[in-house]
Amino acid sequence: MDPIIYKWMHLSGLALTLLALGGLAVPAAEGGRWRMPAHGVGLLLALVGGFGMLAKYKIDTAHPMVLTKIALWLVLGASVAVFKRKPALAAPLVGATWALFVVGAYLGLHLRNG
């Protein structure tokens, strides 16, 4: 498969994950609190797309960039529990989630060949 397909799969999965987390941040009175599996589907798409790109670009999975991005993926996966259990922290959590995305994007764009 063409690497660009994996890249789009990875990015669309991240977009879906962030959209789902943003939906969890909106108070229930305002129509928030999504009940759909968007978070999990987004994480799955990001994982499959990410490992597909690793295979196509022949990047070693022990590369520090890869290990860091897997750690970020795990934190994004666990963050849904924090959003659900601590709704009062929604605003700082949205900022932290965005910061995690920016760190992952930086690693993917600038440290891939390092």
Side-chain angles (χ1 to χ4, degrees), residues 2-15:
D2 190 18
I4 196 74
I5 294 173
Y6 289 119
K7 189 176 289 189
W8 278 105
M9 185 184 301
H10 186 69
L11 293 174
S12 64
L14 288 172

Side-chain angles (χ1 to χ4, degrees), residues 31-81:
R33 303 287 178 211
W34 287 16
R35 299 289 183 220
M36 57 186 280
H39 182 257
V41 171
L43 285 172
L44 180 64
L45 284 172
L47 187 71
V48 170
F51 277 107
M53 282 189 292
L54 288 177
K56 286 295 183 180
Y57 292 131
K58 296 178 178 31
I59 298 173
D60 184 23
T61 54
H63 190 284
M65 178 269 303
V66 176
L67 297 176
T68 306
K69 287 190 74 158
I70 290 172
L72 289 174
W73 182 85
L74 289 170
V75 170
L76 282 176
S79 65
V80 71

